[in-house]
Amino acid sequence: MSTDRVPVMIPWLGEEEARAAAEAVLSGWVAQGPRVAAFERAFAERVGAEHAVAVSSCTTALHLSLVALGLGPGDEVIVPSLSFIATANAVRYVGAEPVFADVEAATGNLTPATVDAVRTPRTRAVLVVHQGGVPADVHALRAACADWQLPLVEDAACAIGSTAGGKPVGHGALIAAWSFHPRKVVTTGEGGMITTDDAAWAERLRRLREHGMNASAAERHASDRPVLESYLEVGYNYRMTDIQAAVGLVQLGRLDEMIARRRELAARYDALLRNVPGLTPVRDPEHGESNFQSYWVLLGEDFPVGRDDLLAALAAAGVSARRGIMAAHLEPAYAGHPHAPLPVTERLSRDSLILPLFHTMTEPQQDRVVAVLREQAAP
């Protein structure tokens, strides 16, 4: 076994992020404050949204998005099962029921047809995921949802820097949720963001993340007169810190460089894997470009070894790969939850794996990954 392991992901963090975090600490303002506000403005500008609201995670961003839509018990929300379990869980947080829809094989994303197949009179919203950074065809989904008079929520956890129809993912979204987990392209350690063009929603979301308070801590501290805050509704403690936002601002500033490097590595994988039988790599869809937050391959049904055996072979060669996207309906948390047949979801979840991809990845490291795949593909 090699002692020089190839990790599946390394966050792109360095001295500039360290200095920014240290400056936040030394400023004496470490909770939600001016750096969070600056990060919100920069993020909104980057994705082409009118407003951005920083929160503690993408899961809390999804939760607040569904609260803003007024969803609750008796409502159904169509979601892909092929997603991290937080997508479905957020629907349960508001008391609504997730309805699992299948996805298309090429992108792992919902389509108007897969949504329509499970739509019922109780459907109150659709929650689409830009899976692994591959943009969903939001223009088709938005048109369909408009016809159905249903709001479309976008789980863009993995999609910062991806494009759809020539625009950044998030541009024109009714409401979108984002993640800054270390596995994502832009990271703040933990953290999330909500973007929307609706000013009233943004104002309410800012209250909800801070216990429903009508005056934030930053506003109270900035005032030269006492501010007696009120709590207008039951809210949550979903705030981001200024330390996280300081890191996020640096990360956002190098996003173009990050995306270029990830796409360069993905293109090299494409070239190296082109003639490997039984492997289908993830590709850009016709309607957009991926940031390649994840680079996955789908094993053909005639591939000589199964996905788990291939993961074991990679691990033995010192390569840290991961199983493909999970299927929430197959997890114990959703045992007994009714659902329509989900054949594409189950195939993608069973037969795909995520390969290492990170900005400092070397050609020899990438060659080692490909060598294992070629060896295991040999008859």
Side-chain angles (χ1 to χ4, degrees), residues 88-143:
N89 285 351
V91 177
R92 282 186 162 177
Y93 292 168
V94 296
E97 283 298 311
V99 174
F100 293 124
D102 213 354
V103 295
E104 64 176 0
T107 66
N109 290 326
L110 297 180
T111 69
T114 65
V115 170
D116 198 27
V118 295
R119 190 167 56 91
T120 78
R122 291 175 57 198
T123 303
R124 293 293 177 268
V126 177
L127 205 174
V128 62
V129 178
H130 300 280
Q131 198 51 258
V134 178
D137 189 350
V138 288
H139 296 90
L141 282 163
R142 288 172 189 170

Side-chain angles (χ1 to χ4, degrees), residues 184-245:
K184 305 305 186 286
V185 177
V186 168
T187 184
T188 60
E190 287 285 0
M193 192 77 76
I194 310 167
T195 56
T196 181
D197 290 343
D198 191 302
W201 279 3
E203 181 180 359
R204 185 179 179 217
L205 289 164
R206 290 194 172 94
R207 289 199 309 267
L208 285 170
R209 72 177 172 185
E210 197 165 6
H211 304 286
M213 221 174 359
N214 68 341
S216 70
E219 291 168 337
R220 285 183 285 129
H221 283 285
S223 176
D224 57 2
R225 292 185 297 178
V227 176
L228 302 179
E229 74 278 7
S230 297
Y231 297 84
L232 305 184
E233 59 182 312
V234 174
Y236 310 88
N237 184 1
Y238 285 173
R239 290 169 290 195
M240 176 182 281
T241 70
D242 256 29
I243 301 170
Q244 292 169 290

Side-chain angles (χ1 to χ4, degrees), residues 266-283:
R268 189 167 190 271
Y269 264 138
D270 288 347
L272 294 171
L273 296 174
R274 187 167 295 131
N275 298 319
V276 178
L279 285 183
T280 303
V282 62
R283 303 267 196 246

Side-chain angles (χ1 to χ4, degrees), residues 284-288:
D284 282 331
E286 291 184 1
H287 55 265

Side-chain angles (χ1 to χ4, degrees), residues 5 11 16 23 32 74 114 119 128 160-161 165 167-168 171 176 180 236 245 271 274 283 289 301-303 334:
R5 295 196 65 81
E16 194 174 352
E23 287 170 5
Q32 178 182 283
T114 65
R119 190 167 56 91
V128 62
I160 181 63
K167 299 288 187 181
H171 183 275
F180 306 124
Y236 310 88
R274 187 167 295 131
R283 303 267 196 246
E289 289 187 347
E301 295 181 2
D302 57 348
F303 199 80
Y334 286 89

